[in-house]
Amino acid sequence: MSGTSRPLSSRSIFPQAEVIGDLGPTLKLLADRLEGRLPNAKALIYLRQGILARIADRELEARFTPQRIVRAVMPTDGILALDNGMYKIWFARNYRTHVANTLLLDNALATMGAGLPSAMMASMLYPTRRVMAVCGDGGFMMNSQELETAVRLRLNLVILLIKDDAYGMIRWKQAIDRFTDFGMTFGNPDFVKYAEA
Ligand SMILES: Cc1ncc(C[n+]2csc(CCOP(=O)(O)OP(=O)(O)O)c2C)c(N)n1
Ligand SMILES: [Mg+2]
């Protein structure tokens, strides 16, 4: 295929081999076939060790970082559901998980508004586990009406709301590109009263 008629993915990604299938079983089949056949497999171990060492270093920093505070209050099997904004990067890079599927995030399309609904689903599936949604004020306000459902279903979850009265991430990108600070700030309701209501 050529020119603009190519599907979006093949405009920027050039796979040597494509495998289409359900992710879990596909990875298992691939892993079985690759076992012992990767020439540089040990490099992955060093890569993993490097990532874990960096996460451990972040734990010792003096400055405030949101993932440290949350890690301290979450049990190992607690489930964190992230919305999308600046704070998400701290969690995506530095929140150490010990149990599979305890950090739910959407790193690709990064859809704002997904944090609360995904926390609600996690709470419905695992009612006895601690569940927390971490949302920016912008993302939270995109879907905050779902609180009605959460209350009606008596879902057991906590929302950590990071309030800067702004679309912080985009404001930051605007600033690094030296654009005028335009259109990225907004007012918020009184969140405590909103939750009580
Ligand atoms: C539905 C949707 N619209 C727009 C964007 C682009 N976007 C990414 S982060 C962001 C700002 C997020 O603001 P907020 O939730 O308040 O988090 P903050 O960055 O301020 O911490 C925007 C507009 C997006 N990812 N998803
Ligand atoms: Mg914000």
Side-chain angles (χ1 to χ4, degrees):
M1 281 194 268
S2 66
T4 51
S5 65
R6 281 185 303 175
L8 186 63
S9 61
S10 63
R11 273 185 237 153
S12 50
I13 299 169
F14 304 100
Q16 291 174 322
E18 283 187 68
V19 182
I20 298 172
D22 188 273
L23 189 60
T26 304
L27 281 179
K28 185 166 177 345
L29 282 171
L30 274 177
D32 290 346
R33 289 189 187 193
L34 290 173
E35 177 78 51
R37 293 175 57 184
L38 279 182
N40 203 12
K42 284 212 173 88
L44 295 175
I45 296 171
Y46 296 124
L47 181 66
R48 178 180 156 76
Q49 284 169 344
I51 291 170
L52 292 181
R54 205 196 55 197
I55 293 177
D57 282 351
R58 288 276 193 233
E59 288 298 309
L60 303 173
E61 281 182 328
R63 62 180 170 163
F64 160 86
T65 50
Q67 85 285 353
R68 284 175 62 187
I69 293 170
V70 172
R71 181 68 279 177
V73 298
M74 288 298 273
T76 33
D77 72 344
I79 301 170
L80 204 55
L82 303 182
D83 209 281
N84 281 286
M86 201 66 219
Y87 58 89
K88 196 269 299 273
I89 310 291
W90 285 106
F91 288 91
R93 292 187 182 161
N94 301 304
Y95 184 81
R96 177 79 166 99
T97 55
H98 302 280
V99 175
N101 295 328
T102 50
L103 180 64
L104 308 179
L105 73 157
D106 167 6
N107 243 347
L109 292 175
T111 313
M112 288 167 74
L116 173 58
S118 53
M120 287 165 61
M121 192 69 237
S123 176
M124 288 167 81
L125 289 171
Y126 302 101
T128 58
R129 283 161 71 173
R130 185 169 298 169
V131 174
M132 184 189 285
V134 185
C135 305
D137 42 3
F140 177 74
M141 287 306 287
M142 285 185 176
N143 256 338
S144 63
Q145 76 281 4
E146 296 303 331
L147 277 180
E148 187 280 328
T149 311
V151 171
R152 183 162 33 83
L153 300 183
R154 302 184 63 78
L155 299 181
N156 179 22
L157 58 90
V158 170
I159 301 168
L160 172 66
L161 205 151
I162 303 192
K163 176 177 176 285
D164 61 352
D165 297 322
Y167 295 118
M169 174 180 266
I170 307 301
R171 194 179 191 202
W172 175 72
K173 288 187 175 180
Q174 209 171 237
I176 12 176
D177 283 337
R178 297 174 194 278
F179 290 127
T180 312
D181 188 1
F182 175 80
M184 291 293 141
T185 55
F186 49 80
N188 276 307
D190 178 329
F191 286 116
V192 175
K193 288 200 174 121
Y194 191 91
E196 281 166 4

